[in-house]
Each structure stands twice: as C-alpha cells, then as structure tokens.
Amino acid sequence: YGAGYALKTLKEKHPQSFEELRAFAHKWPFLRYNLIHIETNLLNADTRLMKAYADLVKDEKVREEFFSLIQEDHQEAISSIIDLLGEEAQNRRHSLLSNIERRKKALDTLHALHVDYLKKWRLLDEAQKDTHEHLLDKLLMITTALSGGLKSTG
C-alpha cells in the first residue's frame, strides 16, 4: 500500500525523475525486481475479495473512506508499473497470471471461510473463551492456507 500514491506523485510533481526511474527500470535488475515484486502482490490482490473483507468494518463512513483509498492506490500502482515497465502484465507475466487463475477457485473458498469465521469470532464475548480459541485456531489455519495458496505472506 502506498506505491500507487508515491509513483503517481513522482510522475506528476517530478516528471523528469519519473522518466529517470523508467530508464533505470530497464537497466537496473534490482529496481526491476522490486517493481515486479510489487506488481506480483498487486496482481494477487483481488478487489472483489478486498471488498468482502472491507465489509467487515461496521462504520460505513470509515469503511468507504479507507476502501476507496486502497482501491485507488491499487489501480494507480498497477498503472504506474505498466508505465515504468512499458507493457501490461498480460504480455509479460503469463506464468503468474495462469497460476493465479488456476488457484482462484480454491482461494475464493478459503477467503469466504476466512470472512465467515472472522464475523463469528468478532461476535463472541469473553464468556465464550473455548469457542473463541477454537475459532481463532481455525482463522490461523485458514490464514496459513491462504498464504500458501497465494505463495506470499504479504
């Protein structure tokens, strides 16, 4: 989070520096690696799933404010990375996009379970300590499964 804002601000306020960054993205493997790593996380982030998690926030104003910022930053980051690397991920990241598509159904199921257990866990009070710990164990197992399925913990 924040890459979209940073890159957009650089492009708008310091266009010469943005152009230098674009040139370095093609010359410096370390920078290219970092941009691709950011892009990988952005491509793994499904805005539909982001919305399901955001819907857990009860305060509508807070939910909408933060969710719109996150969505905007996500889109800005993808757009800026395309600009820096010169072409869209669909033309460069065939293997990753294929893997994401292949894992999508299983991950969607895990995310649905995760959201459902989070809702239940949040409704419990201290008097339900055994249930609380049982649901927390399930949440942690699902979190581990999700990170494995996403091939990322971030």
Side-chain angles (χ1 to χ4, degrees), residues 51 79 126 128 141 150 152:
K51 178 78 170 100
S79 178
E126 285 299 315
Q128 299 166 299
M141 284 188 279
L150 289 167
S152 174

Side-chain angles (χ1 to χ4, degrees), residues 5 8 14 30 40 58 67 73 88 97 117 121 126 140 142 146 153:
Y5 177 79
K8 178 183 178 186
H14 306 282
F30 180 70
T40 298
K58 291 181 179 168
F67 185 63
D73 193 78
E88 294 188 23
L97 294 171
Y117 282 125
W121 185 68
E126 285 299 315
L140 293 172
I142 294 169
L146 283 167
T153 58

Side-chain angles (χ1 to χ4, degrees), residues 32 47 63 73 76-77 138:
R32 187 170 187 85
T47 54
R63 177 180 59 238
D73 193 78
E76 288 293 342
K138 285 187 177 286

